[in-house]
Amino acid sequence: MNEFEIVRRISDELPQAPPEVLVPIGDDCAVLRLGERDWVAASDMLVSGHHFKGWATPEDVGYKAVAINVSDVAAMGGVPRFVLASGGAPDPETTLRCFRGILEACELFGVYPLGGDTTRADALTVDVAILGELFAPPVLRSGANPGDLLAVTGDLGASAAGLLALENGTSGSQRLIRKHLRPEPRVVAGRIAAGLGVGAAIDLSDGLASDVRRLCAHSGVGCRVHLDLLPIASDTRAFLESLGRDPGILAATGGEDYELLISAPEPTLDALAESVETPITKIGEVADGVGVFFRRGDEPVENLSGWDHFSS
Amino acid sequence: MNEFEIVRRISDELPQAPPEVLVPIGDDCAVLRLGERDWVAASDMLVSGHHFKGWATPEDVGYKAVAINVSDVAAMGGVPRFVLASGGAPDPETTLRCFRGILEACELFGVYPLGGDTTRADALTVDVAILGELFAPPVLRSGANPGDLLAVTGDLGASAAGLLALENGTSGSQRLIRKHLRPEPRVVAGRIAAGLGVGAAIDLSDGLASDVRRLCAHSGVGCRVHLDLLPIASDTRAFLESLGRDPGILAATGGEDYELLISAPEPTLDALAESVETPITKIGEVADGVGVFFRRGDEPVENLSGWDHFSS
C-alpha cells in the first residue's frame, strides 16, 4: 500500500460533503465557500529523518513547512492568508527556533499565523495547515484537455541538486541549497494563471514524473513530455554533471522543486509568460488516452518516477 | 523554558494581525471574520510516546486528535465544522487505521474532513487543524469578573483514572478508560453557554489546576477553588481509592478531562444548568487580585499543578 492507495482508501470512506465544500479532498487543496468568498485549505507535515536530515536547521524546517503549504495554495491560484502551525521537538529551544522559521516564512509570504500547538517529540515534526483566498475560480488538477500544452514555471532539478550538495557536504552551491531549504512558491504565477483561466495546475512536490501522472489521471488524459525541453539552470546542470548524474533525469524525477506544472491552450500560456516575471517553459503536450510518455529526442524514456512517502 | 514561555516568546514576534483576525493566538482558538460569519481556528498535535503509549490503538489516537480540537472549539462556544488532518506513522497500515479513527470522530462530531497529509514517521504523530463556526460572540478566557462563580461540566478525574487503569493493566474500568481514550467534548454546553453570554471559558486539557490559572491570568483576576466541590464520579473515586490515590487531588491535577471550566454570574450558571443535559457543578469563586487558591474545607492546598509538555 503506497501513499496514493492510502489516500484513495480514506477518500472512499468520506462522509457526504456539506454544501460549503466545492472541491473535497484529492486536489492540492480543498475549496470552501465561506460567506461570499471562496477559500482553499490544505495541510502538510514534515518529519525529521524522513523529509530532512541534520543539515537542515530547525529554522529551515519551520520555513519550509509553511512554504510547501503556500505552494499548494499557489497551485489552486489562491492567495495564502492564514496558517495554523504545530511543532513537536525534543527540547524547547528547538521548538522556538522552528517557530522562528515559521514566522520568517509567514512574513515573507504575507501569511498570518493564527495559532497552533507545541509539544515534545523525539523527532522534529512540523505540521502546517493553511487557508488561502481565491479571487478567480480555483485551478484544479482535473481540467487538462487534449490539445493543451504543458508548461512549468522557473527551473527544475535545482532542489534535487541542492539536496545532493547537502548530502555530499559540497560547498559553493549556495543557490541550489537555498532552492532546497528555502523554496519560494509561485504565488503570483498561480494567481495570474487562475485569472487567465488555465485548464489545470499542480505544484511539483514529488517530482515532475509523479506529478504529471497525477495531473493527467485527474483529468482523464495522457501526455508527452520532452526531457530536452525541461528548464535546467546552468549551475544545476554543471553541478549534476560534476557528480556524474544526468541533469534531464534528475529534473524529471527529483522532488521538491515547488514550481507549478500548468496545462492550458498555447495562447493562454503565452499570455501567462508575458504577464509574469518567472520564466514559463513549454515542456510537452496533452493528448487523448491515458499514457504518460517521456521522450528524449526521438527516444522514449521508460520507468521514470518521483517520490512516494511509503515506498521509498 | 516551558510551554507557556515558548508560546509567550512566539507571540511577542507576531506580525500585525490583518483586519479579519478578531482574536489572535493565545486563547483556545483564534477568531476570524470571513464574510458575514465569525469562525474559530485551532490545531493540536499528538505524539506517540509522549501523549500516549502502546495501549492506545492507532484508531484511538486518530479519534482523540479530532476530539481535542473539537474541545477547543467547544470552549469558544463554536460549532465544529471542518478539519485538516495530517498523520505520520511507521507503516501504511497504521496510517490507515489512524485515519479511520479520525473519520469516526468526524462523523460523531459532525465535522467534515477537508484533507490533510500522510507521511512516514518513526512515532505515530497526528496533527489536526479545525475550523468552527460561531453563532454567538466567542467566549474568551479573558472575560472572568470578580463576583463570578466558577463551574465545570461533567465530572473530573475520570480521564486520569482511566490512564492509571491503562498503565496498570487494570480491567473492569471501561468507562474510565473510555473517558481517557475517547473523550466527548462539550460542544452543546459550550454553544449554549456562549448564547447565554457567560464571562469566560477554557477547556480542561492540562488539568484544572493549570487551566484555572490560565483563565484567571487572561482575565486579570484571582479565584478560590474548593476541592470538596469537584464533581468526581463514584467509579472514579472508588478506583482511585483502591490504588491509594487521593481523588480530589487527581481531579484537580489530572489532565485530559476535556470538560469546560466556565466563569459567569450565578444566575447565568443556573440558566446553563437548566438548559443542558450535562451536569454543571459550581466549584469556586472569582475574586479581585491575582491569587489562585485551592482549599479543602478550611485548609489551603498548596503546589497543585497540571501538565506542562516540556517540564514533565
Side-chain angles (χ1 to χ4, degrees):
Chain A
M1 190 159 49
N2 65 20
E3 198 186 2
F4 302 109
E5 176 69 9
I6 294 176
V7 172
R8 197 189 61 71
R9 287 219 205 167
I10 294 166
S11 303
D12 285 350
E13 297 174 24
L14 282 187
Q16 175 83 28
E20 294 99 332
V21 178
L22 307 184
V23 179
I25 200 169
D27 214 300
D28 288 287
C29 296
V31 183
L32 270 183
R33 178 157 294 166
L34 301 179
E36 289 134 35
R37 278 280 164 74
D38 291 344
W39 295 79
V40 293
S43 72
D44 267 310
M45 181 180 267
L46 292 180
V47 182
S48 174
H50 296 279
H51 296 94
F52 55 91
K53 313 273 190 212
W55 32 252
T57 66
E59 289 87 346
D60 291 334
V61 177
Y63 173 100
K64 194 161 174 177
V66 174
I68 64 180
N69 278 282
V70 166
S71 184
D72 282 325
V73 171
M76 306 294 288
V79 174
R81 294 296 314 279
F82 303 106
V83 292
L84 291 159
S86 294
D91 58 81
E93 288 69 28
T94 304
T95 306
L96 194 59
R97 291 182 60 192
C98 176
F99 273 88
R100 291 219 161 102
I102 288 170
L103 291 181
E104 193 186 330
C106 284
E107 197 175 337
L108 185 63
F109 304 128
V111 181
Y112 187 76
L114 288 176
D117 192 21
T118 63
T119 189
R120 193 182 282 267
D122 294 337
L124 179 59
T125 304
V126 192
D127 186 53
V128 169
I130 196 161
L131 268 182
E133 197 165 0
L134 288 171
F135 297 92
V139 182
L140 307 184
R141 294 178 177 176
S142 54
N145 292 304
D148 280 359
L149 295 188
L150 294 171
V152 293
T153 60
D155 62 292
L156 302 184
S159 175
L163 176 58
L164 287 170
L166 286 164
E167 286 176 345
N168 294 346
T170 319
S171 63
S173 310
Q174 288 312 309
R175 188 190 80 95
L176 304 180
I177 289 172
R178 193 171 168 83
K179 284 281 277 184
H180 183 71
L181 293 178
R182 301 273 173 152
E184 297 192 12
R186 300 303 186 182
V187 176
V188 173
R191 182 173 174 178
I192 293 176
L196 290 169
V198 301
I202 187 172
D203 79 320
L204 296 175
S205 56
D206 293 340
L208 174 66
S210 286
D211 292 323
V212 73
R213 280 194 178 87
R214 221 171 276 177
L215 183 129
C216 286
H218 278 259
S219 295
V221 297
C223 74
R224 279 182 304 276
V225 173
H226 306 279
L227 296 190
D228 297 329
L229 297 180
L230 301 187
I232 303 171
S234 55
D235 56 350
T236 304
R237 189 177 295 279
F239 177 74
L240 291 173
E241 285 172 349
S242 78
L243 296 181
R245 306 292 290 254
D246 182 326
I249 299 297
L250 254 287
T253 59
E256 308 204 271
D257 281 314
Y258 298 107
E259 299 291 351
L260 299 180
L261 171 67
I262 297 169
S263 176
E266 186 159 25
T268 309
L269 290 176
D270 291 339
L272 177 62
E274 282 164 23
S275 311
V276 297
E277 209 175 320
T278 313
I280 305 292
T281 307
K282 297 166 195 162
I283 63 165
E285 307 93 33
V286 177
D288 282 315
V290 294
V292 173
F293 302 105
F294 296 90
R295 301 188 73 81
R296 177 173 259 169
D298 291 334
E299 296 296 310
V301 181
E302 311 277 0
N303 300 321
L304 289 184
S305 71
W307 171 258
D308 168 44
H309 296 291
F310 281 105
S311 68
S312 312
Chain B
M1 188 158 51
N2 65 21
E3 198 185 3
F4 303 110
E5 176 69 10
I6 294 175
V7 172
R8 196 188 63 71
R9 288 218 205 168
I10 294 165
S11 303
D12 285 350
E13 297 174 23
L14 283 187
Q16 175 83 27
E20 294 99 331
V21 178
L22 307 185
V23 178
I25 200 170
D27 214 300
D28 288 286
C29 297
V31 182
L32 270 183
R33 179 157 293 166
L34 302 179
E36 291 135 33
R37 278 280 163 74
D38 291 344
W39 295 78
V40 293
S43 72
D44 267 308
M45 180 180 268
L46 292 181
V47 182
S48 174
H50 296 280
H51 295 93
F52 56 91
K53 312 273 188 211
W55 32 252
T57 67
E59 288 87 347
D60 291 333
V61 176
Y63 173 99
K64 194 161 175 177
V66 174
I68 65 179
N69 278 282
V70 167
S71 184
D72 282 326
V73 170
M76 306 294 289
V79 174
R81 295 295 317 278
F82 302 106
V83 293
L84 292 158
S86 293
D91 58 80
E93 287 70 25
T94 304
T95 306
L96 194 58
R97 291 181 59 191
C98 177
F99 273 88
R100 291 216 162 105
I102 288 170
L103 292 181
E104 194 186 329
C106 285
E107 197 175 337
L108 185 64
F109 305 128
V111 181
Y112 187 77
L114 288 175
D117 192 21
T118 63
T119 189
R120 193 182 281 267
D122 294 336
L124 178 58
T125 304
V126 192
D127 186 54
V128 169
I130 196 161
L131 267 182
E133 198 165 0
L134 287 171
F135 296 93
V139 182
L140 306 184
R141 294 178 178 178
S142 54
N145 291 306
D148 279 1
L149 296 189
L150 293 172
V152 294
T153 59
D155 63 291
L156 302 184
S159 175
L163 177 57
L164 286 170
L166 286 163
E167 286 176 346
N168 294 345
T170 320
S171 63
S173 311
Q174 289 312 309
R175 188 191 79 94
L176 304 179
I177 289 171
R178 194 171 167 83
K179 283 282 278 185
H180 184 71
L181 294 178
R182 301 273 173 152
E184 297 193 11
R186 300 302 186 183
V187 177
V188 174
R191 182 173 173 178
I192 292 176
L196 290 169
V198 301
I202 187 171
D203 79 319
L204 296 176
S205 57
D206 293 342
L208 175 65
S210 286
D211 292 323
V212 72
R213 280 195 180 86
R214 221 171 276 176
L215 182 130
C216 285
H218 278 260
S219 294
V221 297
C223 73
R224 279 183 305 274
V225 173
H226 306 279
L227 296 191
D228 297 328
L229 297 180
L230 301 187
I232 303 171
S234 54
D235 58 349
T236 304
R237 189 177 295 278
F239 177 74
L240 290 173
E241 285 172 350
S242 78
L243 295 180
R245 306 292 290 253
D246 182 325
I249 299 297
L250 254 286
T253 58
E256 308 204 90
D257 281 314
Y258 298 106
E259 298 292 352
L260 300 180
L261 171 67
I262 298 170
S263 176
E266 187 160 23
T268 309
L269 291 176
D270 291 339
L272 177 62
E274 282 164 23
S275 310
V276 297
E277 207 174 322
T278 313
I280 304 292
T281 307
K282 297 165 194 163
I283 63 164
E285 307 94 33
V286 177
D288 283 316
V290 295
V292 172
F293 302 105
F294 296 90
R295 302 188 72 81
R296 175 174 260 169
D298 290 335
E299 295 296 310
V301 181
E302 311 276 1
N303 300 320
L304 290 183
S305 70
W307 169 257
D308 169 45
H309 296 292
F310 280 105
S311 68
S312 311

